[in-house]
């Protein structure tokens, strides 16, 4: 019956395990290891002849509930929960490549994601080519005989570019490569990369899935065969496992994911419309607006806009700082997907390690600002922007 549940129901009830005490809320199994009734039972467990948990680094009942619930939402066969979003990204990419292999990645990536493919992977003899992911011909031209992985995020951080996931997947399938999609900005509610042909999906669960600024977490989702053949041993032996306490916290957060994302998206859309009319704002980029450069693609592969808005102030860094410092409700933070509205200046925070030329390629100027809309009253947020913009020099 759970297969027919809609997302809001899946996220409250999916994958729930109950102990003999019949608890309403999921239990937290804070244990490192597990005991066996007999030596023979231990041997069978380690041989894989019987089901059960062995060691918390491999998995635990609380983590298992979180993984199963995410699988239901994403439409994936299997998943592994990790200690952070970056642990998920690193695991998803690196577990399936070796020295001599080649990665093609969209250049518009979160700074740490770009570091994994551009700086870390080459240290181990893995080549990487960065492309403007918006044009499928760039992906095609970058393919080599040793290309094994395509990696992208869509919408991108922070400029909300959208990449044709189905198109990239078609190219990857032609050469036997795997497509890894960082789906954080779309959330699993607005975009289903696996349905579009991607092979692996990663999330920073720290963002919308927790959504309340409490804990770190990540998750990698794919088909069971890929996880068994690629991620399973990497995960067991390198130790990026999520804490059971964090898994429990995320289970509580995910129950309200549809409610929060709905309000966040409504707020983001109305704020984007407001900002687009302001004389001190040079441009606004929002996936829900008709003036988005890739509005047609968005209509095909996404079912909603985003909780994020990118905009550029005419006065550059000085204007961006003045705006952020004048805001009263909206807080300055590099995080996103939170119940609280958060704002950041990417050029000096999340993307500061990129060269000025690299930021320019991505459309990140000194005046670029990223807003993560929260669940506050929409009018209060717009009024906060209005009073802050009034304090920005023309």
């Amino acid at each position: 019956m759970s297969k027919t549940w809609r997302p809001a129901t899946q996220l409250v009830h999916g994958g729930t395990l109950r102990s003999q005490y019949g608890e309403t809320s999921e239990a937290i199994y804070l244990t490192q290891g597990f005991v066996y009734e007999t030596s023979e039972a231990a041997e069978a467990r380690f041989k894989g002849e019987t089901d059960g948990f062995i060691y918390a680094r491999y998995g635990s009942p609380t983590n298992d509930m979180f993984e199963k619930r995410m699988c239901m939402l994403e439409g994936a066969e299997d998943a592994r929960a990790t200690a952070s979003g970056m642990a998920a990204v690193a695991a998803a990419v690196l577990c399936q490549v070796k020295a001599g292999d080649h990665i093609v990645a969209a250049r518009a990536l979160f700074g740490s994601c770009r570091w994994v493919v551009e700086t870390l992977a080459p240290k181990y003899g893995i080549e990487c080519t960065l492309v403007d992911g918006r044009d499928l011909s760039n992906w095609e031209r970058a393919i080599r005989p040793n290309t094994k992985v395509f990696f992208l995020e869509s919408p991108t951080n922070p400029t909300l570019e959208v990449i044709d996931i189905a198109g990239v997947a078609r190219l990857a399938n032609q050469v036997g490569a795997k497509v890894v999609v960082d789906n954080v900005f779309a959330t699993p509610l607005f975009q289903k990369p696996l349905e579009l042909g991607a092979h692996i999906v990663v999330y920073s669960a720290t963002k919308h899935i927790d959504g309340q600024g409490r804990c770190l977490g990540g998750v990698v989702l794919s088909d069971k065969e890929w996880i068994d053949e690629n991620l399973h041993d990497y995960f067991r032996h390198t130790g990026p496992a999520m804490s059971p306490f964090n898994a429990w916290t995320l289970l509580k957060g995910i129950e309200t994911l549809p409610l929060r994302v709905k309000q966040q998206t409504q707020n983001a859309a109305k704020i984007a419309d407001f900002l687009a009319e302001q004389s001190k704002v040079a441009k606004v980029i929002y996936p829900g607006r008709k003036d988005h450069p890739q509005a047609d693609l968005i209509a095909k592969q996404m079912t909603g806009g985003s909780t994020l808005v990118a905009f550029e102030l005419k006065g550059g860094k000085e204007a961006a700082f003045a705006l952020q410092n004048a805001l009263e409700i909206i807080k300055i933070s590099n995080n996103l997907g939170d119940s609280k509205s958060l704002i950041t200046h990417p050029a000096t925070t999340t993307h500061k390690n990129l060269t000025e030329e690299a930021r320019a390629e991505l459309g990140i100027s000194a005046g670029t600002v990223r807003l993560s809309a929260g669940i506050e009253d929409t009018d209060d947020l717009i009024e906060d922007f209005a009073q802050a913009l009034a304090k920005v020099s023309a």
Side-chain angles (χ1 to χ4, degrees):
M1 183 176 178
S2 61
K3 293 182 180 179
T4 66
W5 290 346
R6 293 167 179 83
T9 306
Q10 291 175 342
L11 297 182
V12 174
H13 297 287
T16 300
L17 301 171
R18 287 191 171 87
S19 73
Q20 70 272 29
Y21 301 110
E23 60 277 350
T24 301
S25 178
E26 298 83 1
I28 308 174
Y29 291 88
L30 285 177
T31 182
Q32 299 155 322
F34 302 85
V35 299
Y36 315 94
E37 291 187 3
T38 65
S39 299
E40 290 79 7
E43 181 183 31
R45 186 88 54 91
F46 272 76
K47 283 183 175 180
E49 296 173 350
T50 60
D51 292 332
F53 299 100
I54 294 173
Y55 192 55
R57 177 156 51 83
Y58 305 165
S60 76
T62 313
N63 293 39
D64 188 60
M65 284 188 276
F66 173 67
E67 291 165 354
K68 282 186 168 58
R69 198 166 292 182
M70 284 299 303
C71 282
M72 291 178 68
L73 178 60
E74 195 66 39
E77 291 180 355
D78 205 358
R80 292 293 184 273
T82 60
S84 69
M86 283 313 307
V89 167
V93 173
L94 298 178
C95 77
Q96 57 181 323
V97 289
K98 63 183 184 305
D101 288 343
H102 177 236
I103 298 168
V104 182
R107 67 188 185 188
L109 294 171
F110 172 60
S112 293
C113 294
R114 186 159 164 165
W115 184 87
V116 168
V117 296
E118 189 179 28
T119 303
L120 179 62
K123 290 183 178 181
Y124 299 99
I126 302 159
E127 300 173 303
C128 175
T129 301
L130 295 174
V131 300
D132 182 344
R134 295 170 295 181
D135 187 340
L136 285 177
S137 66
N138 293 332
W139 294 92
E140 188 170 18
R141 282 194 297 270
I143 294 172
R144 302 176 187 173
N146 57 338
T147 300
K148 301 299 182 185
V149 174
F150 287 2
F151 178 46
L152 62 97
E153 60 185 44
S154 183
T156 63
N157 181 5
T159 53
L160 300 167
E161 297 174 1
V162 176
I163 294 173
D164 184 348
I165 296 172
V168 173
R170 284 194 296 272
L171 292 173
N173 289 335
Q174 291 172 12
V175 297
K178 298 296 185 182
V179 178
V180 180
V181 176
D182 182 340
N183 202 44
V184 167
F185 271 39
T187 80
L189 299 173
F190 290 158
Q191 185 169 265
K192 302 287 189 183
L194 297 180
E195 293 180 3
L196 294 167
H199 306 95
I200 302 105
V201 182
V202 296
Y203 288 98
S204 170
T206 311
K207 311 302 191 292
H208 301 91
I209 292 168
D210 173 37
Q212 291 159 82
R214 298 172 298 189
C215 68
L216 298 175
V219 62
V220 183
L221 303 107
S222 185
D223 61 80
K224 190 175 188 305
E225 181 181 1
W226 182 87
I227 286 183
D228 286 346
E229 293 183 358
N230 296 276
L231 183 60
H232 181 72
D233 285 342
Y234 176 101
F235 187 87
R236 285 171 65 115
H237 299 303
T238 63
M242 178 183 288
S243 155
F245 181 82
N246 284 19
W248 180 84
T249 305
L250 293 167
L251 280 165
K252 296 295 94 185
I254 205 171
E255 290 180 359
T256 60
L257 179 66
L259 301 174
R260 289 183 284 104
V261 168
K262 179 180 179 180
Q263 181 63 34
Q264 289 168 326
T265 303
Q266 289 176 354
N267 282 346
K270 291 181 179 179
I271 291 168
D273 290 342
F274 168 79
L275 290 172
E277 298 173 353
Q278 305 308 304
S279 61
K280 296 174 184 177
V281 176
K283 66 177 178 180
V284 173
I285 306 172
Y286 181 68
R289 285 177 58 86
K290 293 181 180 179
D291 60 359
H292 190 286
Q294 297 152 297
D296 291 343
L297 176 60
I298 291 166
K300 286 199 310 183
Q301 76 178 31
M302 294 178 67
T303 58
S306 177
T307 66
L308 283 297
V309 180
F311 60 99
E312 183 178 344
L313 290 160
K314 294 179 180 178
K317 176 181 173 181
E318 182 179 352
F321 276 28
L323 172 75
Q324 292 188 163
N325 292 341
L327 290 166
E328 296 175 355
I329 298 172
I330 302 162
K331 306 304 179 187
I332 300 170
S333 176
N334 55 292
N335 198 23
L336 61 93
D338 199 278
S339 295
K340 300 177 179 68
S341 291
L342 305 173
I343 198 163
T344 191
H345 184 248
T348 56
T349 57
T350 57
H351 291 70
K352 74 176 182 63
N353 289 331
L354 297 182
T355 64
E356 188 173 346
E357 292 76 17
R359 288 196 295 268
E361 283 183 349
L362 301 179
I364 302 171
S365 73
T368 299
V369 177
R370 186 193 73 192
L371 170 73
S372 172
I375 63 172
E376 302 95 341
D377 184 275
T378 312
D379 291 337
D380 283 339
L381 294 175
I382 290 174
E383 288 171 9
D384 197 20
F385 266 113
Q387 65 83 21
L389 281 167
K391 298 173 183 174
V392 176
S393 299

